[in-house]
Amino acid sequence: MSLMRSALLVASQNKWLRENAVNYPFVRRSVSRFMPGESLDAALDAADGLARKKIRSVFTHLGENVTDRNEAQEVANHYLEVLRRIHGSGLGTEVSVKLTQLGLDLSPEFCFDNLEKIILKEKKEAIVWVDMEASNYVDVTLDIFRKALQKYPNVGICLQAYLYRTKKDLDELLPLRPSIRLVKGAYKEPAEIAYPKKLDVDENYFTLGQTMMAAQAAGTCVRAAFGTHDVALIHRLADHAAKSGVPRKDFEVQMLYGIQREEQERLAHEGYRSAVLVAYGSYWFPWFVRRLAERPANLWFMARNLFAS
């Protein structure tokens, strides 16, 4: 892991920066590249624009580590309103939730109750995606996901390729017929539990991706989604999918709003399942800095906004 990436991940957890950096105009201009706005209306407008290009969307309301019971319930209620608006729009947008925003730090049972309300409100043919957070949350997140999946087949989980444990987690989940979104991972983790080198993460990602595609073809993985902006890796996975007989409509790539837009459009144009994660909300600083850490070259974009001030 580079020193720059490590520094950014530390900064994402800094309380002073979270409360103060958001007030600087150049920071707000920079984050606008990765999110259409702070409101649900802005997210819906973005989803409508994406749909016109045959690109699907997934909404996530930014926030994490909620420790107030009423606030966690408000988050759950917000997602119920999100689903009501989505269903009324006919967009077919799905949602992705963080369990710590639904009260996981208060109680797993309380968190599950909030998650269940959201799943019950969603259409059966759509997936409610559960995000994976830092490594200390993996076990409890998987426990809650398994509990939900036993009752509701339309719930999916995010797995992180940079963790050594993910192969075992994937193997243990597949008998349950899950939906899985695979990402590289965006938290600061020690080398004892996560691959420190990008090359190793990429190779593990590709290996896990092969397993997911084989499971999808066999019917033991309902949806296999690949959350990455790594174009070379996407092409490598797509080539494997073609050689394995996976139809293009069943090869799904999920990217973040504003990143690799040409690739998003190319995938949709060529008949692949292209989807964009549309993030919105006022609690965006930790999420934004983790996006910078994923690709530190984005710092040059932020620097241009600074000098444009």
Side-chain angles (χ1 to χ4, degrees), residues 139 142 146 165-178:
D139 284 323
L142 290 176
R146 290 188 189 96
R165 62 172 291 168
T166 300
K167 181 184 184 305
K168 181 174 181 290
D169 291 334
L170 176 60
D171 290 343
E172 291 177 350
L173 286 173
L174 288 178
L176 305 177
R177 298 189 72 251

Side-chain angles (χ1 to χ4, degrees), residues 3-204:
L3 291 176
M4 180 63 72
R5 184 170 186 269
S6 296
L8 286 168
L9 291 176
V10 170
S12 72
Q13 300 171 338
N14 185 280
K15 186 173 184 280
W16 186 91
L17 286 173
R18 185 173 68 242
E19 294 174 351
N20 293 277
V22 296
N23 298 317
Y24 290 99
F26 79 94
V27 177
R28 299 189 72 87
R29 283 199 300 273
S30 298
V31 77
S32 67
R33 174 179 179 175
F34 304 103
M35 54 184 280
E38 295 186 357
S39 69
L40 174 58
D41 285 336
L44 287 164
D45 287 343
D48 183 64
L50 290 165
R52 295 176 191 275
K53 299 177 181 179
K54 299 182 180 180
I55 300 174
R56 301 165 187 264
S57 51
V58 180
F59 283 0
T60 186
H61 181 228
L62 295 173
E64 53 198 64
N65 296 110
V66 171
T67 55
D68 178 87
R69 192 178 186 90
N70 290 332
E71 184 180 350
Q73 289 176 329
E74 288 175 4
V75 171
N77 289 335
H78 174 79
Y79 273 110
L80 299 183
E81 173 63 12
V82 170
L83 291 175
R84 187 189 70 79
R85 295 281 301 276
I86 287 172
H87 296 161
S89 71
L91 285 170
T93 298
E94 295 176 329
V95 298
S96 186
V97 301
K98 273 187 166 59
L99 295 189
T100 63
Q101 196 183 16
L102 295 177
L104 181 57
D105 290 332
L106 292 163
S107 158
E109 293 75 22
F110 172 65
C111 175
F112 178 83
D113 288 344
N114 283 328
L115 175 63
E116 187 173 40
K117 292 175 186 176
I118 297 168
I119 298 171
L120 287 169
K121 189 72 171 181
E122 182 56 288
K123 296 179 179 179
K124 290 182 171 58
E125 62 270 21
I127 297 292
V128 173
W129 295 99
V130 175
D131 281 347
M132 189 61 74
E133 301 178 64
S135 59
N136 55 307
Y137 288 107
V138 173
D139 284 323
V140 66
T141 298
L142 290 176
D143 286 345
I144 290 175
F145 170 68
R146 290 188 189 96
K147 182 179 178 181
L149 188 59
Q150 287 175 355
K151 300 176 68 175
Y152 311 104
N154 64 326
V155 60
I157 188 69
C158 177
L159 296 180
Q160 300 164 320
Y162 69 171
L163 296 178
Y164 300 140
R165 62 172 291 168
T166 300
K167 181 184 184 305
K168 181 174 181 290
D169 291 334
L170 176 60
D171 290 343
E172 291 177 350
L173 286 173
L174 288 178
L176 305 177
R177 298 189 72 251
S179 291
I180 296 173
R181 177 173 69 214
L182 183 65
V183 300
K184 289 189 179 182
Y187 293 86
K188 182 174 173 57
E189 303 290 359
E192 291 76 20
I193 64 172
Y195 294 102
K197 296 181 180 179
K198 179 183 181 300
L199 180 62
D200 293 330
V201 176
D202 290 352
E203 284 304 309
N204 195 45

Side-chain angles (χ1 to χ4, degrees), residues 21-22 24-36 257-259 261 284-285 287-289 291-292 298-309:
V22 296
Y24 290 99
F26 79 94
V27 177
R28 299 189 72 87
R29 283 199 300 273
S30 298
V31 77
S32 67
R33 174 179 179 175
F34 304 103
M35 54 184 280
Y257 178 86
I259 304 180
R261 290 179 180 176
W284 47 260
F285 182 78
W287 173 88
F288 168 59
V289 178
R291 302 294 76 78
L292 294 178
N298 286 326
L299 284 172
W300 291 112
F301 172 78
M302 189 170 176
R304 287 198 297 272
N305 281 324
L306 170 61
F307 294 123
S309 299

